[in-house]
């Protein structure tokens, strides 16, 4: 009997020791060498500050594959304690699924909170009013164009003021240079980029600039959506936008990394990272003097207005089933430090969400990004809602049909609406 009791106590003790050991290790998911490198000093700082071991688990690099694996593990209850989310369109759905830990109280108590741009704070708030992510980096997106190509051909580099002026400029580029005039990412292979880097650029300046009504319901029958798809259709029908590369795997490689550097594509949507990662010093195919020969336009509205699209760039979150939530939240706040923000900016080219990053000596060396950082306060964005991940996939399918010339703008909108209804149910769509 005594032996049985002693054995039980030993088992309990061993279990407690094991639990303690597990609690002193934080598992984080990361993907892409640049992202892993950007986090290296932060990982070391967390380990030193809290006396813990940080286990970095490398996930598949393409965002779509990374998100699929992450969602699978979250659903199975064995995902890491901390992870980045590659598209903000997925955040609301992850909240709805109960995968994320609310961090509102900790974030507002964090000494870096007051210094965040308002747009970053607003983007981080979920439809239920809670915050679940660290909004430490911003993706500031505009239209990037080959200033040298346009000037050589005698084409104006002035800011287009309407969608029609933008389309007319693209047509003039094609006529005078033979280069494609404008690219909006599109199609299924581009994944969430068809929504994040394409569709929403135009939607925010349309007649119906939001996808969520006052009741939080998805409003996908607005006139603006059809008008946006009409822009895609005109670009495709008039051969102003390269379509064949977008129908294959890794559709960004040819237009972004080959055609644009070669001057065979003259304008494309992109984010601040393009000056470093796509065409700058971190690129495999850099454009010499990139900040001199590549200019930027804001995205014009349908009939007026100028828009700089802001979104959270790969925000980090805490697993709701973390073995040590308190420690994971402390680590999350370390990820929000200006040091980590500048590290990400240097390696990936996104914009620090803290205003004081402008005072950081290392950030000042990133001359490509300093001007864009100053403009971050003017960013606009789409309000988030549950179901945005499905809307993003629906936009990819709708634009795929346009690329294949299988439908018109109204048909593309129907593809989007039908897909979202079939996936989420009729009640989710207005």
């Amino acid at each position: 009997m005594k032996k049985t009791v002693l054995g039980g106590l030993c088992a309990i003790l061993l279990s407690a020791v094991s639990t303690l050991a597990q609690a002193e290790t934080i598992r984080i998911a990361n993907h892409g060498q640049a992202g892993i490198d950007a986090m290296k000093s932060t990982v070391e700082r967390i380990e030193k500050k809290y006396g813990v071991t940080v286990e970095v688990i490398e996930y598949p690099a393409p965002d779509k594959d990374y998100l699929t694996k992450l969602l699978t593990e979250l659903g199975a209850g064995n995902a890491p304690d901390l992870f980045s989310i590659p598209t903000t369109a997925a955040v609301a759905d992850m909240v709805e699924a109960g995968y994320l830990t609310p961090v509102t109280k900790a974030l507002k108590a964090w000494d870096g909170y007051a210094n965040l741009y308002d747009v970053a704070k607003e983007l981080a708030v979920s439809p239920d009013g809670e915050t679940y992510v660290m909004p430490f980096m911003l993706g500031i997106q505009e239209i990037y164009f080959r200033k040298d190509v346009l000037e050589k051909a005698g084409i104006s580099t002035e800011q287009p003021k309407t969608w029609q002026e933008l389309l007319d400029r693209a047509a003039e580029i094609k006529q005078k240079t033979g280069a494609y005039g404008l690219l909006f990412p599109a199609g299924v292979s581009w994944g969430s980029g068809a929504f994040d880097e394409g569709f929403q650029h135009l939607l925010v300046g349309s007649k119906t600039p939001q996808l969520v009504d006052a009741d939080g319901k998805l409003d996908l029958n607005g006139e603006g959506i059809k008008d946006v798809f009409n822009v895609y259709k005109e670009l495709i029908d008039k051969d102003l936008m390269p379509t064949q590369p977008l129908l294959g795997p890794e559709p960004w490689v040819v237009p972004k990394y080959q055609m644009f550097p070669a001057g065979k594509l003259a304008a494309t949507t992109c984010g601040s990272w393009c000056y470093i990662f796509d065409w700058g010093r971190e690129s495999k195919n850099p454009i010499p003097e990139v900040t001199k020969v590549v200019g930027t336009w804001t995205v014009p509205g349908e009939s007026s207005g100028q828009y700089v699209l802001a979104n959270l760039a790969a925000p980090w979150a805490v697993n709701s089933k973390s073995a040590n939530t308190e420690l994971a939240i402390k680590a999350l706040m370390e990820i929000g430090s200006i040091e980590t923000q500048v590290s990400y900016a240097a390696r990936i080219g996104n914009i620090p969400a803290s205003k004081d990053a402008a005072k950081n000596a290392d950030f000042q060396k990133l001359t490509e990004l300093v001007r864009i950082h100053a403009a971050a306060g003017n960013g606009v964005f789409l309000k988030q809602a549950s179901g945005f991940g499905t809307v993003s996939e629906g936009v990819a399918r709708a634009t795929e049909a346009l690329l294949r010339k299988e439908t018109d703008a109204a048909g593309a909108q129907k593809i989007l609406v039908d897909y979202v209804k079939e996936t989420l149910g009729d009640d989710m769509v207005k």
Side-chain angles (χ1 to χ4, degrees), residues 275-277 279-283 286 290 345-347 365-366 368:
Y275 271 141
I276 295 177
F277 194 72
W279 312 310
R281 50 187 161 73
E282 296 292 333
S283 171
V290 62
R347 289 168 175 80
K365 296 175 185 174
L366 306 175
E368 310 95 325

Side-chain angles (χ1 to χ4, degrees), residues 124-135:
V125 177
S126 286
D128 65 359
E130 291 279 0
T131 297
Y132 295 83
V133 297
M134 166 54 74

Side-chain angles (χ1 to χ4, degrees), residues 11 34 36 39 43 62 95 109 121 131 133 143 164 208 219 254 256 284 288 310 340 364 371 373-374 381 397 415:
I36 291 172
M39 279 287 289
V43 167
V95 169
K121 297 176 187 173
T131 297
V133 297
I143 295 173
Q164 192 56 56
T208 52
D219 183 359
V254 171
K256 286 281 186 77
K284 294 179 181 176
T340 307
Q364 283 296 325
R371 175 188 62 81
H373 180 258
F381 58 92
R397 291 170 181 244
I415 289 171

Side-chain angles (χ1 to χ4, degrees), residues 101-117 120-126 129-136 312 316 329-330 332-337 341 354:
T101 297
V103 295
T104 309
K105 187 176 178 180
L107 186 64
K108 289 187 175 179
W110 172 56
D111 58 8
Y113 180 76
N115 195 247
L116 292 172
Y117 278 114
K121 297 176 187 173
E122 293 167 9
L123 278 162
V125 177
S126 286
E130 291 279 0
T131 297
Y132 295 83
V133 297
M134 166 54 74
F136 75 128
L312 297 182
W316 283 73
I329 291 176
K330 288 179 180 177
L332 184 71
M333 299 305 131
E334 291 296 326
I335 292 173
S337 70
Q341 293 180 34
S354 292

Side-chain angles (χ1 to χ4, degrees), residues 281 338-339 342-343 345-346 357-370:
R281 50 187 161 73
I338 288 178
E339 180 184 343
V342 174
S343 180
K359 302 174 185 174
N360 181 281
D362 288 333
F363 184 67
Q364 283 296 325
K365 296 175 185 174
L366 306 175
T367 54
E368 310 95 325
L369 305 183
V370 172

